[in-house]
Structure formats: C-alpha cells, structure tokens
Amino acid sequence: LSIAIIAIWGVITQFCPDPANNLSQDLSSLQRFMAITAITFLIIASFVSERVASENYKLRLLRRTVKLMKQQQTLESGDQFNQQQMEVINNLIDVTKIESGDGALDKKKVDLQLITQDVIDTLKPIVAAKKQTIELVVGGGTFMLKADKTRLATAFENLIINASKYSHRGKKIVVSLSSRGATISLSVKDEGIGIAKKDRDKLFKKFSRIENKLSVSDGGNGLGLYLTKKIVALHGGRISITSKPGDGSTFTVKLPK
C-alpha cells in the first residue's frame, strides 16, 4: 500500500517526469508496475506463510517428542522398579526353598563355559547402560560338570550384577574361567570401589549390605551374595573374595567337576 501511494503520487506530481509521455501513459505504466509489485509480494507472502507453517509443525513435533520422551522415562522408571521388586521376590523364594531344604538341585551334565556366556549375553544391556564393558577370558581344559544349570546361572548373575553395581561408569568387568585337575574356577573381577577388610564378613550374610555412595544410588536387597554362597555350597564348592579399597574386587568360585 505504501509503495502504491508513493508511486501514484510520484506519477501525478511528475516526481520523475518523462516529457515523451503524458499522464495517461504514465498511469498505464504505473498500473503494470503495481501489478508486478503485487504479484511479487504475493509470492513472497506465500513463501513466508509456508515457512511459518513449517516451523509451527516442527515446533508441534518437537513438543510431542519431548512429551513422549517424558512418558518413556516414566515407564522405564516404573519398569526398573518392577524389575527390582521381582528380583527381591525371586531371591526370597530361592532363599526360602534352600533354607527349608526344598531347594533340591536338578543336576545334569552341563558346560560351565556355555552357562557363563549365556549369563554374560543376558546382562550385557544392564552393563552397557552404565557405559561399562564385560569380557570373558577362558583358559585351557574342559568345563563339563554335574550341576543345576538354572541355579548356577542365578549365582553367576548375582556376581556380575554386584560387580556392575559397585563400579563407576566406564569401568571394565572381567569374567575368567580356568580348569585344573578336578576343579573349575570362575572369577569375576571389577574395577570398582573395593571392599574394606572390616566389611567383608557382611558380604555373605542375609539382608546385609555395605553402605557407600554406590549402594545408596543403585539399591539392593542384601540377598544376592547370600544366595550365591548357598548355591555354590550346594554344589560342593566355595566362594572367596580378594579386594582392596579403591582398587576393585575379585570374587572366585571353585566347583568340583
């Protein structure tokens, strides 16, 4: 509108007079000029409108994505809580069965290396969530023995989960298997916070937990290592620990073939 007013005023008042043209011709030229100007601005307005609509769509999409992410976080938190509760319940059931003498082992010929690898594969997502890595190192010899596959898997899971819980992000867990004579050894070594000598007696007691920053943040029920020791003992084996505060821990399980 401003351009039109200025252009008409300029033509009428001969702002830029052209002696060869009269007012009628000037107004005719002005009409063509205004038509071109109007079309140009309509095209620009169309692009601007489309751009605004696109930006609004992106904004709505971003808001929807943020909302879905919040919902997913809520669901994941609830799922994590449910998993923790199921872990407590399952451990309590296993402990009750073993202590009551109802936890008879279903012993069969099994390959301890395959059991260990299956446990590691199952727990990799949990370990990866803390940016940790886990490695299996296998020595020479055979790893066949008569054992309850499910029970041993539970014991090994507890050891690896324990190593992950009490290690900071980005650390490494090494699971080692070795066979010598009539004994198979499995060790789980972490690069965690370690355990003071005065606290080691608490490790394998029921509902006993060592208080530190990681135990508070990751939680626990104080049954994992207790149950692990019971399972190992039912197989005629033993479990031990070597640890140094600030320098990690190594749990070693020795089982007869």
Side-chain angles (χ1 to χ4, degrees), residues 16-248:
C16 296
D18 185 355
N21 293 324
N22 56 31
L23 181 60
S24 178
Q25 291 174 329
D26 289 342
L27 289 175
S28 178
S29 298
L30 174 63
Q31 189 176 17
R32 291 192 294 270
F33 166 74
M34 292 309 303
I36 294 171
T37 303
I39 292 171
T40 302
F41 275 102
L42 284 173
I43 293 173
I44 293 174
S46 176
F47 280 117
V48 171
S49 178
E50 184 179 349
R51 180 65 180 270
V52 170
S54 176
E55 293 299 326
N56 287 338
Y57 173 76
K58 290 178 181 178
L59 184 59
R60 290 197 302 271
L61 187 62
L62 179 61
R63 286 175 178 169
R64 188 179 302 172
T65 302
V66 171
K67 185 178 180 180
L68 289 174
M69 288 176 65
K70 289 181 178 179
Q71 291 175 347
Q72 183 179 1
Q73 288 174 351
T74 302
L75 290 173
E76 287 176 351
S77 298
D79 185 54
Q80 183 179 5
F81 176 77
N82 290 336
Q83 288 179 354
Q84 290 175 348
Q85 296 307 305
M86 287 303 299
E87 181 184 346
V88 173
I89 293 170
N90 290 334
N91 283 341
L92 281 171
I93 292 173
D94 286 337
V95 168
T96 302
K97 284 183 178 180
I98 289 174
E99 289 181 339
S100 65
D102 191 30
L105 300 179
D106 182 18
K107 287 188 175 182
K108 296 178 182 178
K109 203 73 172 176
V110 294
D111 188 337
L112 200 63
Q113 181 177 346
L114 293 180
I115 295 175
T116 306
Q117 186 62 63
D118 287 344
V119 169
I120 290 174
D121 291 341
T122 300
L123 297 180
K124 272 184 178 179
I126 296 175
V127 174
K130 292 185 68 174
K131 307 297 182 183
Q132 298 168 345
T133 57
I134 185 167
E135 177 185 356
L136 176 61
V137 179
V138 181
T142 60
F143 300 97
M144 301 298 296
L145 76 164
K146 281 197 77 172
D148 187 319
K149 179 181 178 180
T150 303
R151 297 282 189 183
L152 280 185
T154 299
F156 297 162
E157 282 178 4
N158 287 336
L159 289 177
I160 295 174
I161 290 173
N162 186 78
S164 177
K165 276 184 178 181
Y166 295 100
S167 297
H168 291 289
R169 297 176 70 85
K171 296 298 183 179
K172 184 179 181 181
I173 300 169
V174 178
V175 181
S176 302
L177 271 175
S178 61
S179 178
R180 180 177 296 179
T183 303
I184 297 176
S185 298
L186 178 140
S187 66
V188 178
K189 184 180 185 303
D190 62 58
E191 297 175 346
I193 57 179
I195 302 168
K197 194 172 182 179
K198 63 181 179 64
D199 291 327
R200 291 180 195 173
D201 291 339
K202 302 177 184 178
L203 285 174
F204 302 105
K205 291 182 179 178
K206 185 163 54 173
F207 301 118
S208 177
R209 297 178 64 222
I210 298 172
E211 296 299 330
N212 53 54
K213 290 181 179 179
L214 291 180
S215 67
V216 172
S217 62
D218 282 341
N221 51 56
L223 288 172
L225 291 179
Y226 173 80
L227 180 60
T228 296
K229 186 176 181 180
K230 288 287 186 182
I231 292 173
V232 171
L234 285 174
H235 284 84
R238 64 184 186 276
I239 183 171
S240 61
I241 178 177
T242 57
S243 182
K244 185 178 179 182
D247 197 29

